[in-house]
Amino acid sequence: MLKKDWRKAVIWLVFMFFASLSYAQYVVTGGAGSPLRAEQTTGDSAERIEVYLVYGMENVSISYTSSSSSSHQWYRYRTKRLEAEAVPCVQSGTTSTIRDVEAGCGYFVEEGAVSRYVWIIDYSRYLPSISGLGISDTSDPCSGLVLTGAGTLEPIYYYWPNTGTRRELPRQFDVTYQTLTYNSEEMTYEPGEETAVIEGDLFGTSIPAPLCDTEIRVSGDAFARHFGHEGTWIIDQYQAAAVDAHIDTLLIEQEAPNMNTSKTGYCAPATVQFYAVANVPTAALFNWVIYPEGEEDNPVVRFSGEEIDYTFNQAGAFIVKLEVSDQTTTCRVEDEVRIEISESYLMIPNAFSPGTTPGVNDEFRVAYKSLVSFKAWIFNRWGTQIYHWTDPAQGWDGKKGGKYVQPGVYFYVIEAEGSDGIKYKRQGDINILRPKTIQEEYENVQE
């Protein structure tokens, strides 16, 4: 045989040896109901252990099967492998079985370099017994609740074989209660049932505070559920104190085609409705404050209530802050939004063509943003006022008395003030352009 072939053969034999061990397994039977494998370590290959729970020790047996051996020696240990004692088994081909099984002990079959262990626990000795379920005084009702109660929750231990390290098998309880969940798309709170899973210490772990009054139900543990002996304990009525809130906004602003959208921020005057979306009735007190960004000590408005309307007339960034609390002010939350108001802008055209191309340059309108006051006048060349308006979103359609004026040069005067305090006073010519092919009845406005 060539050297490289010999090496391949050795590798194959080693692989097959460990593969055969990987198929070796323990099977636990007996007790009331089906035994439960509650823990299985997958770490160091020299110390792999399976922890089984049985309910009662009647007819409990453990079998071990391997594909590499027809003779097994079983051992039992109580805290560590070095103190193990041999125990008899019944061999049947490659499977061996022990029947005189003790609870609270570990068992193993020594086979090759890799040992696997199995630990047996009689769970019927560890059923939880709880009375006087309540909420601990150490709880923070604004964020989390810690359960308290009397009774027995005896820890369930097993031992790692090589080190003798004691490990606790954690219990698992379900804590079910009603709460409210915030739907950010709909901006509403939706009722629903929540289940918090507590693993380990039932009376030392915090669960999220409910957002509404609710019954709190504890069930478990998970091991008892498996064997059909699950317990249920109830707090009849918990009165919620935790609050949660968000701000919803609605901008009441007249959009106009002549508004300059290249300027960032809302166009002043901007009236905004602010709504508090909260877990009422637990959330009971609502306070608003609006202030220029960076000037929290210089508020422009304070208000109490679930909603507020405010008109922004000044350019700049503003913070709108909402504080919500329960009736006793024990729990508080805050939310805030940033509102930016654009600086002012005004641009005036010098020509338009009324009645010729509907919807396209057929009105005299300024391009603007954030004008908090506005006045405009149109005059003919003899100084006669033809039109007057005060809304920058509106304009002049080139008519007087319902009829188009003659084409030619007219004059405008515009006075305005911006959200940034800039005062505008503009005057100039406006040209009305109309083709000679259009026959219209013109209003005589020479006098």
Side-chain angles (χ1 to χ4, degrees), residues 275-420:
Y275 302 90
V277 183
N279 61 318
V280 292
T282 303
L285 304 177
F286 302 85
N287 292 294
W288 301 86
V289 60
I290 301 176
Y291 57 89
E293 189 173 42
E295 301 181 38
E296 189 168 1
D297 294 334
N298 185 30
V300 295
V301 66
R302 293 183 183 274
F303 182 79
S304 297
E306 292 189 47
E307 61 183 73
I308 177 178
D309 294 359
Y310 185 73
T311 300
F312 295 87
N313 288 305
Q314 293 182 330
F318 294 83
I319 301 299
V320 181
K321 181 179 289 187
L322 167 67
E323 182 185 86
V324 179
S325 64
D326 69 321
Q327 192 67 51
T328 65
T329 68
T330 300
C331 299
R332 291 188 181 94
V333 293
E334 291 183 352
D335 192 25
E336 64 180 44
V337 294
R338 183 178 184 271
I339 300 294
E340 185 175 353
I341 303 301
S342 170
E343 296 178 342
S344 65
Y345 173 84
L346 176 63
M347 192 276 288
I348 304 169
N350 57 17
F352 74 113
S353 53
T356 59
T357 53
V360 179
N361 196 34
D362 60 346
E363 287 191 7
F364 175 71
R365 293 191 185 192
V366 301
Y368 78 100
K369 196 159 189 183
S370 286
L371 298 180
V372 296
S373 68
F374 179 86
K375 296 177 182 179
W377 297 265
I378 300 293
F379 301 91
N380 66 8
R381 56 183 175 175
W382 295 280
T384 302
Q385 179 178 315
I386 297 176
Y387 193 69
H388 171 62
W389 72 103
T390 58
D391 183 354
Q394 303 300 317
W396 179 42
D397 60 3
K399 293 181 179 181
K400 178 173 173 38
K403 298 179 181 181
Y404 289 108
V405 299
Q406 293 279 357
V409 178
Y410 293 80
F411 305 93
Y412 66 82
V413 174
I414 295 177
E415 296 178 356
E417 183 175 351
S419 61
D420 43 15

Side-chain angles (χ1 to χ4, degrees), residues 40-51:
Q40 181 180 22
T41 62
T42 58
D44 185 357
S45 62
E47 193 168 83
R48 293 180 180 175
I49 185 170
E50 301 173 39
V51 180

Side-chain angles (χ1 to χ4, degrees), residues 26 46 48-50 62-64 72-89 96 98 105-112 114-120 159-162:
Y26 294 105
R48 293 180 180 175
I49 185 170
E50 301 173 39
I62 312 173
S63 297
Y64 177 84
H72 302 147
Q73 177 58 63
W74 282 78
Y75 296 89
R76 175 176 60 216
Y77 75 96
R78 301 185 186 280
T79 55
K80 62 177 61 177
R81 173 191 170 96
L82 291 177
E83 301 170 353
E85 54 184 349
V87 293
C89 68
S96 60
I98 60 171
C105 294
Y107 294 86
F108 63 95
V109 172
E110 191 141 65
E111 185 176 28
V114 179
S115 295
R116 287 173 171 80
Y117 304 85
V118 59
W119 187 274
I120 303 298
Y159 289 84
W160 276 29
N162 288 346

Side-chain angles (χ1 to χ4, degrees), residues 132-144:
L133 184 67
I135 304 299
S136 173
D137 292 338
T138 62
S139 297
D140 179 0
C142 305
S143 60

